[in-house]
Amino acid sequence: MTDLQVADIPVLDRRTSPAASRTSARWTLALVCVAVFMLLLDVTIVIVALPAISTDLHASLDRLQWVIDAYTLPLAGLLLTAATLGDRIGRRRVFLAGLSLFTLGSLGCALAPTSLTLDVTRVSAGCGGALLFGTALPLLGAAFPDARRRAGAIGVFGATLAAATAVGPLLGGALVAGPGWRWIFLLNVPIGLVSLPVAFRKLAESRADTPRRADWPGTALLVGGLLALLFALIRGNSDGWGSGLVVALLVVSGLLLVGFVFRQARAASPMLDLGLFARRSFVGVGLSAFAISATLIASTTYLALYVQNALGFSPWNAGLRFLPLTVVSFVAAPVAARLTHRVSPRIMIGLSMALVAVGMLLETGLTGSSSWTHLLPGFVLSGAGMGISSAALTAGALSAVEPARAGMATGVVNTLRQVGVAVGVAVLGAIFQSRTQSSTGHRLAGTPLSHHSGTILDAVGSGAGTLVARSAPAAVRGQLADIARAATASGLDLVLLVGGVGAAIATVVAFVLIRRS
């Protein structure tokens, strides 16, 4: 979900360290790539496992949303602070702490007996992921002081990140269909246990020459504001958007996020340089990064529920049907990376968002009789847009600022990507649940099933699809399955429409705000 360029690195640490030896540098590259592959794989691999998690742990839609958001929220909120912490107390030390925490969190996820326990352990894994992601680039910068060798290392690193996105759904489908969904988390444990002693022995310590202080009050305000916002969005349908709890959460979120902005404006060492947002080009890049995550990437959560629970595909077959999206993205990313020095970021980012918008809009028009091939053209186009954006957004962020701010700029863009996933999953989930329930209620009216509408509405609204018909009497099982499939298609259709319109708006914003050169 992210791609990086050589220019990200020099501003982070120009100092030569013991890690600059060839052997040590190769070990550093391998360890960093393995760690970041695991943490980004955890964003995509879980998607096709959601229906199985829902069935096994009796999880409602809001619990499924937290399986995603409980991981991406700390990953987003702690990313910049983790980088600052590594600059100050040592990147190797923070990396080892992150690897330990991520491994323990993954083990907790694999053993979780309830959906609440799974959400809590996902938070732990997300915190570990933030420590790993925040120190990855500085570690490479210290290990590869030579620009030519560093270019090769970043090429390998970027390919690793693209691969994590590409293989996630298919690998997740294979594990869920085989040993079970718990193995999507358990897979990280032996890798982490092997990597820890190797990292302890092979990674060299490095720090920034002039480290900034970690902004803990700013971090608390940001994470607290986002947490309150996500709670409000996820609870809105069930509690009512005008309920005291939801309104209070929205007010608290607004106050905390405004407090975060004031803190960044006044702090001696802010975690976020607000001066970046005075630049139109950077605002355009940042909004595009947020938009592609909040629309395309977030929508895959509900696509997975539809493909498995409404269309009836197994997790493995569902993963296969996501390949047009992920493989096209994987192929497009390196091609786009080679063009970033020749084509304006304005064109590259605008084109990527336009492809996402057109692709998502092509996927709309779903009905109860639609097959998965209806999604295929949209998968191809939106996958191309996602792949182009992974390279173009980083290039756009770097072109919008002077070299001294390159590290902060790319860090902010990566943070906005993760915030976009978290917020998008919550917003699109509210839309999906509301439309699915209203469509189900409309179709149940006047049928013998209307007496059980409350239970059916809750189940279909949680993405259960045709599974709700399994426990129904044989006489109405087929009718209920048809109603659930059509209602789920209607809910996903609205999700794709809102996502496509959002991506189209982001396309216009990109062309208007990002400079031509």
Side-chain angles (χ1 to χ4, degrees), residues 442-467:
H442 175 73
R443 297 171 189 276
L444 286 175
T447 71
L449 297 165
S450 59
H451 300 294
H452 306 281
S453 61
T455 303
I456 295 173
L457 289 179
D458 289 341
V460 179
S462 291
T466 57
L467 298 181

Side-chain angles (χ1 to χ4, degrees), residues 4 30 37 67 87 118 131 153 198 208 225 233 238 250 260 277 316 369 376 454 460:
L4 301 157
F37 180 88
V67 172
D87 289 347
L118 177 59
L131 297 179
V198 177
L233 293 172
S238 58
L250 290 173
F260 170 75
F277 294 96
W316 168 253
S369 60
L376 187 56
V460 179

Side-chain angles (χ1 to χ4, degrees), residues 99-479:
L99 188 56
S100 301
L101 188 57
F102 181 80
T103 304
L104 286 173
S106 297
L107 178 61
C109 292
L111 301 177
T114 66
S115 58
L116 178 60
T117 308
L118 177 59
D119 294 339
V120 172
T121 51
R122 285 282 280 174
V123 172
S124 176
C127 292
L131 297 179
L132 291 172
F133 208 3
T135 53
L137 279 175
L139 280 170
L140 290 181
F144 293 91
D146 176 71
R148 184 183 297 273
R149 294 182 61 212
R150 187 166 60 246
I154 296 304
V156 174
F157 186 67
T160 302
L161 303 186
T165 302
V167 305
L170 188 61
L171 179 58
L175 291 173
V176 174
W181 66 264
R182 296 182 184 275
W183 279 84
I184 66 174
F185 305 115
L186 197 58
L187 178 69
N188 297 327
V189 177
I191 299 175
L193 291 177
V194 171
S195 299
L196 269 170
V198 177
F200 185 82
R201 292 185 59 188
K202 298 296 184 180
L203 286 182
E205 189 59 280
S206 65
R207 296 176 177 84
D209 292 325
T210 55
R212 297 180 294 113
R213 292 185 178 275
D215 183 13
W216 294 113
T219 302
L221 289 168
L222 176 60
V223 174
L226 291 174
L227 182 62
L229 175 62
L230 294 178
F231 263 115
L233 293 172
I234 291 174
R235 297 293 303 177
N237 280 328
S238 58
D239 290 8
W241 293 99
S243 68
L245 175 62
V246 172
V247 171
L249 286 169
L250 290 173
V251 171
V252 170
S253 173
L255 291 175
L256 290 175
L257 292 176
V258 169
F260 170 75
V261 173
F262 275 104
R263 167 71 186 178
Q264 300 313 293
R266 299 172 62 89
S269 298
M271 63 180 288
L272 175 63
D273 182 0
L274 294 180
L276 293 173
F277 294 96
R279 301 171 181 238
R280 289 179 53 186
S281 288
F282 184 80
V283 172
V285 173
L287 289 176
S288 298
F290 176 89
I292 196 167
S293 294
T295 57
L296 175 60
I297 296 172
S299 71
T300 57
T301 299
Y302 307 102
L303 279 163
L305 291 174
Y306 171 74
V307 170
Q308 292 184 65
N309 289 350
L311 299 185
F313 289 105
S314 68
W316 168 253
N317 285 318
L320 286 175
R321 279 152 182 81
F322 275 98
L323 283 180
L325 174 69
T326 57
V327 170
V328 170
S329 173
F330 180 70
V331 172
V335 175
R338 288 194 290 269
L339 295 175
T340 53
H341 298 294
R342 303 177 184 178
V343 182
S344 164
R346 177 173 178 258
I347 300 299
M348 295 287 286
I349 295 174
L351 174 62
S352 69
M353 294 308 306
L355 288 171
V356 169
V358 174
M360 295 190 73
L361 292 174
L362 277 178
E363 294 168 27
T364 60
L366 291 169
T367 66
S369 60
S370 298
S371 68
W372 81 272
T373 55
H374 178 93
L375 303 168
L376 187 56
F379 275 2
V380 172
L381 285 180
S382 56
M386 183 166 67
I388 293 171
S389 73
S390 65
L393 288 171
T394 298
L398 293 171
S399 70
V401 300
E402 63 273 18
R405 287 179 163 181
M408 174 67 78
T410 53
V412 171
V413 167
N414 285 329
T415 297
L416 286 171
R417 285 174 171 173
Q418 301 306 322
V419 172
V421 174
V423 174
V425 167
V427 171
L428 296 182
I431 293 170
F432 175 83
Q433 186 176 42
S434 177
R435 169 58 72 89
T436 302
Q437 288 182 334
S438 65
S439 178
T440 303
H442 175 73
R443 297 171 189 276
L444 286 175
T447 71
L449 297 165
S450 59
H451 300 294
H452 306 281
S453 61
T455 303
I456 295 173
L457 289 179
D458 289 341
V460 179
S462 291
T466 57
L467 298 181
V468 298
R470 288 183 175 179
S471 58
V476 296
R477 195 172 297 159
Q479 181 184 18

